[in-house]
Amino acid sequence: MNAPDIAASLEAQFGPRIKSKKLDAIDPFVVVDPADLVEVCRFLRDDPRLQFDLLNCISGVDYLELDPKKAPKAGYEPHLEVVYHLSSFPHKHRFVVKLILPRWKENKAGDMPVVPSVTSQWAAADWHEREVYDLSGVWFDGHPDLRRILLSEDWAGHPLRKDYEFPLEYHGIRGR
């Protein structure tokens, strides 16, 4: 099944809950709200025409332009995206689902945006969600063991956020 057919199946099943799509991208995708994520993922995994049985990765992307001169020309409001890359072994097709989130929950700096966990759909989501939580600062509600995976538990902040300031020192050890 090609990307337009996959998107058409999603639109037939979910109607306006598919917020947008871009099918001519290198990795064709649809955008859904976090509240619809688990249901959309279940459909993508279980529908016999689709059978997305592999979650390749989950990525957190920070869209923030720090240069005030460039910000008006950036073409987007600051936000985070959580990107799910899926594959089907039986059908040999790939597809992407995206969530577009505010950088902070209710625009309160330091409060992470919340997304439902898809560990109930794909066991591999366990590690991927922990990585996005650790590095990008997105909370995965319902995750069985959400904690840092690459950084120490006492690390402050999320280093893949564009406004992250690397500490000069950690436990008495100075960086460069």
Side-chain angles (χ1 to χ4, degrees):
M1 191 177 274
N2 61 24
D5 292 338
I6 295 167
S9 295
L10 287 167
E11 289 174 319
Q13 181 71 21
F14 297 102
R17 294 193 290 170
I18 303 302
K19 298 299 179 191
S20 63
K21 62 185 176 185
K22 184 160 177 55
L23 304 178
D24 60 349
I26 292 172
D27 293 315
F29 66 87
V30 295
V31 175
V32 300
D33 283 334
D36 297 318
L37 177 66
V38 173
E39 191 178 351
V40 168
C41 287
R42 186 178 302 115
F43 177 77
L44 287 166
R45 185 195 65 191
D46 294 347
D47 187 282
R49 299 166 298 164
L50 303 173
Q51 287 185 301
F52 283 100
D53 52 353
L54 176 66
L55 171 67
N56 298 78
C57 71
I58 303 173
S59 303
V61 184
D62 188 0
Y63 285 88
L64 174 66
E65 179 52 63
L66 293 172
D67 184 338
K69 292 179 183 175
K70 293 181 182 176
K73 297 177 186 175
Y76 55 81
E77 290 294 316
H79 68 280
L80 293 178
E81 290 185 8
V82 179
V83 184
Y84 299 79
H85 286 263
L86 308 172
S87 293
S88 170
F89 280 116
H91 298 301
K92 297 177 178 40
H93 53 227
R94 300 177 311 145
F95 203 67
V96 173
V97 175
K98 290 187 180 187
L99 304 177
I100 298 175
L101 308 169
R103 295 192 76 249
W104 302 109
K105 183 180 178 182
E106 298 174 6
N107 291 319
K108 185 177 175 191
D111 283 358
M112 289 183 260
V114 178
V115 170
S117 175
V118 293
T119 54
S120 62
Q121 310 308 309
W122 299 284
D126 184 344
W127 289 77
H128 295 298
E129 289 175 354
R130 285 179 60 194
E131 182 181 28
V132 173
Y133 159 71
D134 194 8
L135 300 178
S136 299
V138 175
W139 185 264
F140 290 89
D141 194 37
H143 188 283
D145 186 22
L146 192 61
R147 58 189 162 96
R148 290 195 181 267
I149 193 168
L150 297 171
L151 299 169
S152 175
E153 283 294 328
D154 65 346
W155 193 268
H158 305 280
L160 291 184
R161 289 215 175 209
K162 290 188 178 175
D163 55 355
Y164 176 76
E165 292 185 28
F166 196 83
L168 296 175
E169 190 174 284
Y170 177 71
H171 291 281
I173 301 170
R174 288 194 52 86
R176 293 182 180 192

